[in-house]
Amino acid sequence: MAKLLILSIVTASLVAGAFSDEFMVVKSPQSVVFREGSWPIPGDRISDVVALSMGFSVEEDLTWPGLAVGNLFHRPRATILVTVKGVEKLGLSEFGSSYPIENAVPFNLDSVANNVHSSFSEEIPVVLQMAPNEERVYMVGKANSVFEDLSVTLGQLRNRLFQDNSMLNSLPLNSLSRNNEVDLLFLSELQVLHDIASLLSRHKHLAKDHSPDLYSLELSGLEEIGKRYGEESQQFQDASQILADSLQKFADEMYKLYGGNAIVEVVTVKTFDTPLVRKSRSILEAAQVQISNPGSPYNLAYEYNYDYAVVFNIILWLMLALAIALIVISYNLWNMDPGYDSIIYRMTNQKIRMD
C-alpha cells in the first residue's frame, strides 16, 4: 500500500513537471461535471472541451476523462474562456478543477462561435472574442451590438484608463507605473474585463435569454511585463497578483450575472509552441462562408463533411416515405368506386332523385 502511494505521488509529480501549463475551471454549474484528476488535456482539443460542455457535437470523439456527460437537458447559458499568456499558473481560487495542458498550441473558438450562430440564428446571442495583435486588442466574429461601446484600439484604451470611473482610481498599482507604456497596456486588458461585466450588468436581459453566450478573451499583457522587467522582478510579481485578483472578481461577477449557470475557464500558457496568425475582423462583421477547394487546379474532391451521413439518411428516408405514400394514394384512387366511395357522386345522385 505504501509503495502504491509513493508511486502515485511520483507519477503526479512527473505529470505536473512535464505539463506546466494549466487549464482551470474556475466556475461551473451543476449540470456540467468536471472530474477531479490530473489528466493532461491536449492543447488542440480545448475548443472541443468547450463545445461539448455547451452541448454541441464535435467532429472527432474526445477521450479525455476530465469532462463527464452531465445533464444533457440543462446546458449552461454562457461559457467564458480567458487565456493568459506569459505565466504557467495563477493564484486563483482553489474551489475549481485544474488540469495540465499537453502540447500547448494556439487555439481559437471560431468553430464554437459558428455553432452558436447557426443553431440560434433567429436570436441574438452574445459571441465576443478578443485577442491582441499589433494594435494591441481587436475583436473577431460577431457580437451583440451592446458591446460596440467597448474600447478596443490603443487610443480608446488610453483614454478609457484616464477617465474618472476607470480601474486606475481603485486598483493598487504597487510597483506598476501610470507613465510606462507596457504597464498601461497590461492594465488596459483588465479594464476591458471590467467593462464587459459592467455592460452586461446594465443589460441583464442578455444573460436571461435562451441562446447560449460565448466569451473568448486572450490576455498577453502579463507576458509583455515579463519581457520588459523580467519574471523575477517586483513588477511581474505585482502584475501576476493583480491579474489573479481581477480574474477572480471577473469570474464571480459573470457567474452571478448568469444566475450560476455559466462556465468560467482560465488557460495559462507560458508560451505557445507555434504562433497563431489570425485575420482581424469587425466586431459586427457577418461571418463569411468558406467553400472547400473553390476552383482547385488539381481537380481535388471537396473536404468530407461529418454531417454528410446525417443529411443523407434524412433525405433518403424522407424520399422513401413520400414514394410509398404516393403509391398508396395512387392505388386507392385507381380502385375507387365513383358511385360508392366518392362523396361527390353520392351528393349528385341524391340531388337528381329529389328533382
Side-chain angles (χ1 to χ4, degrees), residues 135-351:
E135 296 181 359
R136 193 54 189 175
V137 174
Y138 71 92
M139 299 294 176
V140 294
K142 296 194 295 183
N144 194 283
S145 58
V146 169
F147 294 92
E148 285 181 320
D149 297 333
L150 277 177
S151 301
V152 292
T153 64
L154 284 175
Q156 292 174 345
L157 290 171
R158 179 179 290 276
N159 295 334
R160 179 69 183 93
L161 282 174
F162 288 98
Q163 292 178 0
D164 294 335
N165 59 344
S166 70
M167 296 184 62
L168 286 179
N169 300 319
S170 58
L171 201 65
L173 300 182
N174 298 330
S175 61
L176 300 181
S177 174
R178 296 169 177 259
N179 302 320
N180 192 293
E181 188 69 20
V182 176
D183 298 357
L184 290 177
L185 291 176
F186 165 75
L187 295 171
S188 66
E189 293 180 341
L190 304 184
Q191 183 66 54
V192 172
L193 295 180
H194 173 78
D195 290 343
I196 290 174
S198 179
L199 285 172
L200 189 62
S201 64
R202 294 201 299 267
H203 301 84
K204 294 183 178 180
H205 65 280
L206 297 176
K208 298 179 180 179
D209 55 13
H210 299 289
S211 60
D213 299 336
L214 177 66
Y215 302 83
S216 177
L217 314 172
E218 182 178 334
L219 310 179
S220 62
L222 187 61
E223 182 181 33
E224 299 298 326
I225 292 284
K227 292 179 181 179
R228 174 66 176 82
Y229 300 105
E231 297 182 4
E232 301 298 330
S233 63
Q234 186 62 40
Q235 288 87 346
F236 185 83
Q237 300 300 324
D238 291 342
S240 300
Q241 187 60 47
I242 292 173
L243 178 59
D245 295 340
S246 300
L247 283 178
Q248 188 66 57
K249 182 180 179 182
F250 176 72
D252 294 338
E253 290 178 352
M254 297 294 286
Y255 188 75
K256 182 179 179 180
L257 287 171
Y258 281 96
N261 193 13
I263 304 175
V264 183
E265 300 161 332
V266 176
V267 174
T268 54
V269 179
K270 182 67 174 178
T271 179
F272 285 119
D273 293 340
T274 56
L276 177 64
V277 179
R278 302 185 64 168
K279 181 180 178 182
S280 61
R281 295 176 288 173
S282 171
I283 188 174
L284 297 177
E285 180 182 357
Q288 298 179 355
V289 179
Q290 298 291 335
I291 302 177
S292 301
N293 292 342
S296 175
Y298 305 105
N299 196 25
L300 299 177
Y302 288 90
E303 292 183 4
Y304 178 77
N305 191 337
Y306 285 88
D307 294 333
Y308 172 80
V310 179
V311 176
F312 176 80
N313 277 275
I314 292 175
I315 296 176
L316 173 64
W317 296 110
L318 180 61
M319 295 301 296
L320 286 176
L322 291 176
I324 293 173
L326 180 61
I327 293 173
V328 172
I329 294 172
S330 301
Y331 177 82
N332 283 278
L333 288 176
W334 183 265
N335 295 278
M336 183 177 64
D337 184 3
Y340 180 75
D341 294 332
S342 176
I343 189 174
I344 299 176
Y345 284 97
R346 273 192 275 174
M347 294 298 294
T348 304
N349 291 333
Q350 291 178 2
K351 185 176 181 181

Side-chain angles (χ1 to χ4, degrees), residues 65-117:
L67 179 63
V69 176
N71 190 346
L72 299 177
F73 302 99
H74 190 220
R75 294 287 89 187
R77 291 182 181 174
T79 295
I80 302 100
L81 176 65
V82 182
T83 302
V84 180
K85 296 174 59 179
V87 66
E88 296 175 352
K89 296 180 182 296
L90 280 175
L92 296 175
S93 174
E94 298 180 356
F95 295 103
S97 303
S98 60
Y99 310 93
I101 298 178
E102 177 184 5
N103 188 22
V105 296
F107 67 93
N108 58 62
L109 302 184
D110 291 346
S111 59
V112 185
N114 292 333
N115 283 332
V116 172
H117 284 301

